[in-house]
Amino acid sequence: MRDLLADRCPPAAVLARVEGAPYDLGLWKTLARDIGVAGLLVPEEYGGAGASAREAAVVLEELGRAVTPVPFFASSVLATHALLQVGAGELLRGVAEGDLTVALVVPFSTSPYREAGGQVSATDGRLTGVVGAVAGADVADVLLVPVKGTLHAVPAAEATVEVAPSLDLTRPIATVTFAGSVAEPLGAVDVAETLRFGAGLLASEQLGVAEWCLETTLVYVKERYQFARPVGSFQAIKHRLADLWLDVVRARAAARGATDGAAMSAAVAQAWNAGVAVHVAEEAVQLHGGIGMTWEHPLHLFLKRAKSAEIALGTPGEHREALAALADLPGPA
């Protein structure tokens, strides 16, 4: 993964894409079909790799290190997990083979701990309603729409998908409108469990963002001279970087732990990693000095990915509240 992304998705290439169509569908085809990452979580009986969340986390970490503009998280993690719940073998096979890209039609900011709003209704096999801020919908072949606990499959051509402004230039969000769209009910789905699973794996992507920012900053402060010595030789800079390194080490442990699929592990990972990714990216911008504030340097892409991921699938505060409840800690009087 790292070798391929270094060759096909260097920061300069990502920066060039965000001013046009950000998703690199050619790279996504290579990842999905040639390397086979699209079907990592799909069982072997449906043509997938039958891998665990640990392997998907490795992919997400590398995608985070490159802020790669591909719909892996939306399609191969969130939507695929929902399909696994309903046992939709035909769709899972299409995902595993790299022929289908799917998207779960819920706002990307939806918390696993609060019931999603009922923006869509189903009547006689047709859906009506509007859902905003959906990740991956603009490149999906099939839209997966949960309505009152039932997952429905809708061909993308049956819906209107409009890309909306987003802080994260490498992960577009879209507004999806259904106006009597033909839908196939697939079965009962636990949306909250799917979002918790996704939140746990999102921590690995956040880890990758933080790792890249820290490593890039370390290289820069060794090369940037001021007062005839490297900036990184100043004790104040050393202390800041040491603190960031410790934060990233803890984030790695939290991300690895979240691959067990437990609700508590996911809450721990998001409560910590979301803030760490933002903090390390902010420090990277500052420690790069004036160049860190320019559009030409890719640091802003990582900061924007970290900021948008911080409020995706629940905020750190929501995950801390959930963690307190799961650990049976007393709340405020």
Side-chain angles (χ1 to χ4, degrees):
M1 281 292 298
R2 188 173 298 184
D3 288 345
L4 173 66
L5 296 179
D7 180 52
R8 296 275 299 274
C9 193
V14 179
L15 192 57
R17 293 196 66 87
V18 297
E19 298 190 44
Y23 274 139
D24 188 341
L25 297 182
L27 176 59
W28 175 232
K29 180 179 178 180
T30 300
L31 289 169
R33 295 181 180 177
D34 300 342
I35 294 184
V37 301
L40 274 179
L41 297 177
V42 178
E44 293 182 13
E45 62 185 291
Y46 299 127
S52 70
R54 186 65 181 268
E55 286 75 33
V58 171
V59 173
L60 283 166
E61 184 177 342
E62 294 307 316
L63 295 177
R65 290 175 65 96
V67 286
T68 313
V70 296
F72 175 81
F73 183 76
S75 179
S76 301
V77 177
L78 278 181
T80 294
H81 191 269
L83 288 175
L84 287 170
Q85 288 192 30
V86 299
E90 185 177 349
L91 290 175
L92 286 169
R93 190 173 296 280
V95 169
E97 293 173 352
D99 295 329
L100 281 181
T101 299
V102 289
L104 184 64
V105 182
V106 296
F108 198 43
S109 59
T110 303
S111 169
Y113 314 111
R114 288 172 175 77
E115 187 175 352
Q119 303 102 326
V120 180
S121 60
T123 305
D124 298 327
R126 293 181 178 273
L127 302 186
T128 302
V130 179
V131 183
V134 179
D138 53 321
V139 291
D141 302 299
V142 177
L143 303 170
L144 304 177
V145 191
V147 182
K148 295 182 178 179
T150 299
L151 191 67
H152 296 75
V154 179
E158 285 282 323
T160 300
V161 180
E162 298 176 315
V163 176
S166 172
L167 173 65
D168 186 354
L169 302 174
T170 61
R171 178 183 277 146
I173 57 174
T175 299
V176 183
T177 303
F178 303 99
S181 304
V182 176
E184 177 188 356
L186 300 177
V189 64
D190 186 343
V191 177
E193 199 280 326
T194 294
L195 297 180
R196 281 194 298 269
F197 177 80
L201 283 183
L202 185 62
S204 290
E205 182 189 278
Q206 291 161 329
L207 168 64
V209 169
E211 286 175 334
W212 185 92
C213 290
L214 178 58
E215 292 169 9
T216 301
T217 303
L218 283 170
V219 171
Y220 181 78
V221 298
K222 291 177 183 179
E223 297 175 345
R224 175 76 167 90
Y225 273 67
Q226 193 169 12
F227 305 113
R229 56 188 288 192
V231 171
S233 67
F234 292 98
Q235 190 175 43
I237 302 298
K238 289 180 180 179
H239 285 177
R240 287 172 68 176
L241 290 168
D243 288 341
L244 294 179
W245 181 81
L246 287 172
D247 285 349
V248 172
V249 168
R250 295 173 185 131
R252 184 176 298 113
R256 296 289 187 267
T259 59
D260 66 3
M264 183 175 289
S265 301
V268 167
Q270 274 306 311
W272 178 254
N273 286 29
V276 167
V278 172
H279 178 55
V280 176
E282 289 175 339
E283 287 285 87
V285 169
Q286 188 175 57
L287 291 171
H288 272 77
I291 193 175
M293 300 297 295
T294 63
W295 178 270
E296 289 75 14
H297 198 285
L299 263 174
H300 66 92
L301 298 177
F302 289 83
L303 177 58
K304 291 168 182 173
R305 171 65 69 89
K307 291 291 284 186
S308 65
E310 186 181 30
I311 60 172
L313 307 182
T315 65
E318 289 174 315
H319 288 286
R320 283 192 289 271
E321 289 178 7
L323 180 58
L326 289 167
D328 199 24
L329 297 177

